[in-house]
Every structure is written in structure tokens, then in C-alpha cells.
Amino acid sequence: MNLTLEYHRSPVRYMTTRTATGTSVGGRASGWMAANLSPLRLLNRPEPRLPGAGWTRVRPRLSGICGSDLGLLTGRNSPYLSALISLPFTPGHEVVGDTLDDLPDLPKGTRVVLDPVLGCVPRGLEPCAGCAADQPSRCDHITAGRVSAGMQTGYCADTGGGWSRVFVAHASQLHRVPDTVDDERAVLVEPLACAIHTVRRAPIPDGASVLVVGAGTVGLLTTMALREYTKAGPIYVIARYGHQRELAREAGATEVLASDRAARALRRATGGFLARPERGSEYLLGGVDLAFDCTAGSGLDTALRVVRAGGTVVMSGMPNAGVDLTPLWFRELNLVGAYCSGGHDFPDALALAQSAPLTGYVDAVYPLSRWRDAIGHASAAGRLGSVKVAFDPTKDQ
């Protein structure tokens, strides 16, 4: 049998969790409520079946807890996504594990990381326009084919996910991990690939000034990707906690800013005029060339307010809050989305993982049996001094 954490639809629990973990309840208390009220169940299930040729079972070594997972468990994810999943599903899409079946280029026992997007190739379909362009994150067929609906592994009832002892994946989703990359680095490869994809979503001129809003896992990895794959000039990072400020500097930040002083600090650094509206946050007339929103909260609002006229805002954090779009209109900004990774980002992420300053990022690992503790910790990771919390499904206690 396969020990697995399953997510089941429960409108009552969804609304209760969303209310209980609202803005009036924050930090660790919010995480504990999400864990205790969320519709997760720890169950023993049969292993998922192989959907066809080219598929293998995978036994996770480590599986990360992502911000989108927390958004799901706290009822903050948009209902837009509800049409792109199948229930019940097992979460977990940041995975390093071992294959359990022989494939032509991946013999049994190969250590792999997972590209979770379930595009046309694993679904056994003729490529749509996105997949034909080697951009499976733009797949139009994620509700069709040989497996049930699911934008990714971790949201699909037929594949299982990383929060279990066994799930299934197609060979096209798997990337061999070099021996020089340990498990703690390997479990960060998927979010690192997403960060690389993010910085490639918009042209970044040589010497451009860049702001990264947020210094959690996504923000820190985006800062690394900016330094490695672009010729950006000054990179400013907004960080909330002390350990994040230190890690942002190690990742390549030129200057680290406090969230409540960001507009004023950027006015001094880039020039411009600080405007103070009757209601709402202050903003710049002037500012940085580009901003990357790497949060799941108010980061987009901040980014829109500190980018120069005609500049670009790239949104990589999953949105879950309303935002005033007036700056987008008035300053004629470019707003760009960045979802998952592209076709070439995983090999680059595996290469960067070997040299990037990732030591200590995974500092809390839990067995599946302690899932409530894990969710509570991940929800308060910033305040508790953590970056990435993960499950080790191989452990009992």
C-alpha cells in the first residue's frame, strides 16, 4: 500500500479555512489552522497505475511544500484553477526521487527531479501550439488525454504526487540528477527552473535596474537567476525577515530593502518623485526598469507602484489578493505572467544547483505522519527563519 496525503473537495472546510486564516490571523497560528481545518487525509492507498508506455513509478526522497500548496490549504487559491484539477489528488510537485521501473534512458533506480507540468506528451496527445513550441507550461490540453485533468503532477488524481511514497510520471517529465547535486539541492531544482523561466519572460537590457519583491524561496532563486542569466545592473530585493536579508545578499542583491520603506529607498537610488495619494500606498513617478513579484500577497501592488513609466512587471507568485491596476494604465506598464518552467530551464537549473548558494535552504524535513506540523511550519517559514520545508515520505516518524 501507498501512504499518501490526499486532498478532497470540501466546500465547508474550504470556507472555514479561508475565514480562519484570513488577514486577521497571521503567522504560525494561520498555518496551524490551515493544517487542522484543511481537507487533507493521510491514507493508505494502492499505488497509482502506470497510464501507458513511457511511464514509471517514482519513490520520493524529498518533496517540498510550495507557496501554491499553502494557498490551496488556506483557501486562498483562485477558483479559476478548479477546472484544471481532478479529485481526490495528492499534492507535491517539487520532488527528488528514484525511479522504480525501467525506461529506455532511465533505468530502475535512477535519481530524478520532476518537471510537474502534464502537457501533451505525457497525455499521449498530438502537440498543441504551446507544447510544439517547447513551452508545455502553455499546454491547452491539460484536461484531456490518458490521465485525468490536472495542470501538474500534484493536482491530478491519476498520477499521485510527491506527498506520498509512490507516484507515477512520464519519462518526458523526469531529469536525471548528477551525483554532485545532493537531495537538499535537488528538491530545489523545480522552483529554480521556474525562477530561470521567470527572468526569461521579459527582455532585461544590460545594466537595467531590477526590483525583486519578496525574499522567500521564489524571490531568492529569482535573484540568483537574474545574476546568473542576465546582465542586469543593480538588483534591489524587498525582504521582510533578517535571515532573508542575509540570503538575498548572498544570492546577488545589490541592496536589500524593508517593505515599508521600499518606495522611498528606490526614489533615492533611482531618482523620481514620491507621490502620496489620499488613500493607499505611496508610489514613484520614476523608479526601476523592471520588477518581479515573487509573493502571493501584496507584492504586485508594490511592484506596480515603483516601476518607471513604460517599465515591466513580471508576476511569478500565484496571485491571491486584489490589486489597484491604476498604475498599469496610467504609467503604460507591461505586465507579464510567468508560470512554471519552459523546455530548456530544467537543464540550466540542474547546472546552477551545483554552484548556487543553496546550502541550508532546506532546514526542516518531516515525515508524512507529521503533516500538520509541516504545514504549520511552512506557513510561518519566514518568521521562523526557514526557507524551504519538505517531506521525507520514506520516514515513518
Side-chain angles (χ1 to χ4, degrees):
M1 297 298 286
N2 180 28
L3 188 66
T4 180
L5 274 171
E6 275 190 354
Y7 180 90
H8 293 251
R9 175 172 284 132
S10 172
V12 173
R13 283 181 174 263
Y14 172 87
M15 292 307 301
T16 303
T17 305
R18 183 177 177 88
T19 301
T21 59
T23 55
S24 62
V25 181
R28 195 168 188 174
S30 175
W32 283 107
M33 288 185 182
N36 285 288
L37 296 175
S38 66
L40 279 177
R41 302 176 190 174
L42 184 63
L43 302 168
N44 274 305
R45 293 291 198 193
E47 293 181 3
R49 66 174 182 82
L50 295 176
W55 288 76
T56 178
R57 295 168 297 156
V58 179
R59 187 180 305 282
R61 294 177 174 223
L62 290 175
S63 185
I65 301 174
C66 175
S68 59
D69 299 322
L70 297 177
L72 172 76
L73 298 180
T74 56
R76 295 293 164 189
N77 285 0
S78 169
Y80 174 97
L81 301 172
S82 63
L84 308 178
I85 64 174
S86 50
L87 293 166
F89 62 78
T90 298
H93 58 272
E94 300 176 353
V95 186
V96 54
D98 300 299
T99 61
L100 298 180
D101 301 286
D102 285 315
L103 294 175
D105 296 320
L106 292 172
K108 178 181 178 180
T110 302
R111 192 166 59 115
V112 293
V113 290
L114 172 74
D115 180 349
V117 175
L118 290 166
C120 291
V121 172
R123 292 182 173 280
L125 301 171
E126 289 296 316
C128 66
C131 291
D134 204 17
Q135 294 288 351
S137 60
R138 301 179 184 179
C139 181
D140 291 328
H141 295 158
I142 53 177
T143 60
R146 62 176 58 162
V147 294
S148 55
M151 53 190 183
Q152 299 179 18
T153 302
Y155 296 93
C156 174
D158 289 343
T159 62
W163 296 4
S164 67
R165 289 186 173 167
V166 178
F167 68 95
V168 297
H170 191 265
S172 63
Q173 296 178 272
L174 301 175
H175 299 265
R176 188 189 300 262
V177 181
D179 293 339
T180 51
V181 178
D182 61 26
D183 289 344
E184 287 73 19
R185 287 174 174 261
V187 77
L188 295 168
V189 166
E190 192 274 340
L192 187 54
C194 294
I196 293 170
H197 178 66
T198 294
V199 304
R200 290 171 170 167
R201 285 287 293 126
I204 302 177
D206 293 358
S209 57
V210 178
L211 173 69
V212 176
V213 185
T217 304
V218 176
L220 293 169
L221 299 184
T222 299
T223 303
M224 293 179 195
L226 283 164
R227 280 296 179 222
E228 180 71 18
Y229 293 106
T230 78
K231 295 181 179 180
I235 299 175
Y236 307 97
V237 177
I238 295 178
R240 186 175 181 182
Y241 301 102
H243 75 288
Q244 293 178 340
R245 291 190 281 271
E246 295 178 12
L247 292 173
R249 293 186 184 97
E250 291 179 7
T254 305
E255 186 176 351
V256 183
L257 313 174
S259 56
D260 60 346
R261 305 287 295 178
R264 298 184 184 193
L266 291 171
R267 179 185 62 80
R268 291 192 296 270
T270 66
F273 174 77
L274 186 68
R276 298 179 179 87
E278 291 181 359
R279 294 192 304 272
S281 302
E282 55 196 13
Y283 59 89
L284 293 180
L285 299 177
V288 294
D289 297 313
L290 300 98
F292 291 83
D293 170 28
C294 300
T295 73
S298 60
L300 179 58
D301 185 73
T302 299
L304 291 171
R305 290 171 182 266
V306 296
V307 172
R308 64 166 175 80
T312 298
V313 174
V314 181
M315 187 173 64
S316 65
M318 179 182 289
N320 64 16
V323 63
D324 185 352
L325 295 178
T326 304
L328 181 69
W329 162 74
F330 179 63
R331 305 301 284 166
E332 294 192 340
L333 304 179
N334 303 293
L335 181 60
V336 179
Y339 166 66
C340 283
S341 64
H344 302 291
D345 299 320
F346 261 82
D348 288 342
L350 281 163
L352 182 55
Q354 299 185 57
S355 59
L358 298 173
T359 301
Y361 272 44
V362 180
D363 67 344
V365 177
Y366 292 85
L368 293 173
S369 60
R370 292 184 59 199
W371 64 271
R372 290 182 178 85
D373 294 332
I375 298 303
H377 190 158
S379 297
R383 188 171 60 80
L384 296 176
S386 295
V387 177
K388 176 60 66 176
V389 179
F391 287 111
D392 180 347
T394 67
K395 292 185 176 181
D396 292 324
Q397 298 291 334

